[in-house]
Amino acid sequence: MGPTALTFYRAAKRLQALPRLANVVATVGDRLHNSHVDTKAVLHPTVELGYGGIGVIIAPGVEIGEKSFISQNVSLEPLPGVDGVPRVGRDVYIGVGAQVLGPVVIGDGAKIGANAIVLEDVAPGTTVAGIPARELKQKVPPTGT
């Protein structure tokens, strides 16, 4: 498949000591994938982007936990005029075209449906969808025996 948006993000992160070169690498990745994964975002090394990250926007300061999957055309950005950016937990799935906006927290194991607009926190293990996103299902924790 060739270099993905994550490839360029990781290379630009490593080149932070050389800011101009880091910016060139990041810009090439942005243009090739019609995306922007800001080098000030914190992505765990096990994060994956669908279709190489085409159309993905990840703003500065966004944190994404381990084993999370971000589909193509997803936006993780602040709301205009509101301080704070999204924080995504571990093992989260975000569907195609979803937007997670503002200082929301997506709990571990949550699932965000395609084209959902998330404006509020999502509890761990919860599935949400819609505009605005609403809870569809919550994973029942296992009972101890």
Side-chain angles (χ1 to χ4, degrees):
M1 177 170 176
T4 66
L6 279 177
T7 305
F8 288 98
Y9 160 80
R10 290 180 179 130
K13 284 282 267 196
R14 278 188 238 114
L15 292 168
Q16 288 301 300
L18 305 167
R20 283 193 176 176
L21 183 56
N23 287 340
V24 168
V25 169
T27 301
V28 169
D30 292 353
R31 299 292 187 261
L32 282 175
H33 295 96
N34 192 29
S35 66
H36 179 71
V37 181
D38 198 277
T39 55
K40 292 182 180 102
V42 179
L43 281 63
H44 190 276
T46 58
V47 169
E48 293 184 43
L49 300 179
Y51 287 96
I54 293 174
V56 169
I57 306 295
I58 300 176
V62 170
E63 298 174 17
I64 303 176
E66 63 188 81
K67 297 181 184 173
S68 290
F69 183 86
I70 313 299
S71 298
Q72 67 272 22
N73 295 318
V74 168
S75 294
L76 299 166
E77 302 181 90
L79 276 170
V82 178
D83 288 338
V85 293
R87 286 189 5 233
V88 179
R90 297 184 324 253
D91 198 30
V92 171
Y93 173 84
I94 301 180
V96 176
Q99 296 180 37
V100 181
L101 306 172
V104 299
V105 176
I106 309 299
D108 296 345
K111 293 178 177 41
I112 311 297
N115 295 315
I117 297 182
V118 180
L119 301 170
E120 297 177 357
D121 292 353
V122 177
T126 302
T127 300
V128 299
I131 302 172
R134 292 182 201 93
E135 182 178 318
L136 298 179
K137 180 170 90 172
Q138 188 161 21
K139 189 176 183 182
V140 178
T143 58
T145 52

